[in-house]
Amino acid sequence: DGSVGNGSEGDKLDVSAFELDDFAAFENLLSAEGPGGHDTRITFDPNTVMVLENVAFTDLVASHVML
């Protein structure tokens, strides 16, 4: 359904291992993926990529992410 969750504990994306300074730094890693850009590609480095299916990168907000 494209929902990332409401940001309560348990439905946050934990990217704390990547030591990002703030949500803006996380946003710089995001790009549209797939047909129509309905998925989100997160490129942490050339060897570490994550794709969130059915989640547009424009729908992600700070409360969805654990930095």
Side-chain angles (χ1 to χ4, degrees):
D1 68 1
S3 174
V4 178
N6 61 13
S8 64
E9 188 173 341
D11 52 9
K12 289 185 178 186
L13 180 62
D14 184 353
V15 295
S16 58
F18 296 96
E19 300 179 0
L20 300 167
D21 291 331
D22 53 28
F23 185 71
F26 174 74
E27 284 183 305
N28 289 333
L29 306 176
L30 306 179
S31 61
E33 176 81 5
H38 298 291
D39 301 331
T40 296
R41 178 184 185 93
I42 308 169
T43 305
F44 295 100
D45 62 47
N47 298 313
T48 310
V49 175
M50 177 186 296
V51 175
L52 303 176
E53 294 183 352
N54 298 314
V55 177
F57 76 95
T58 54
D59 291 339
L60 288 170
V61 296
S63 63
H64 295 142
V65 182
M66 286 178 21
L67 299 173

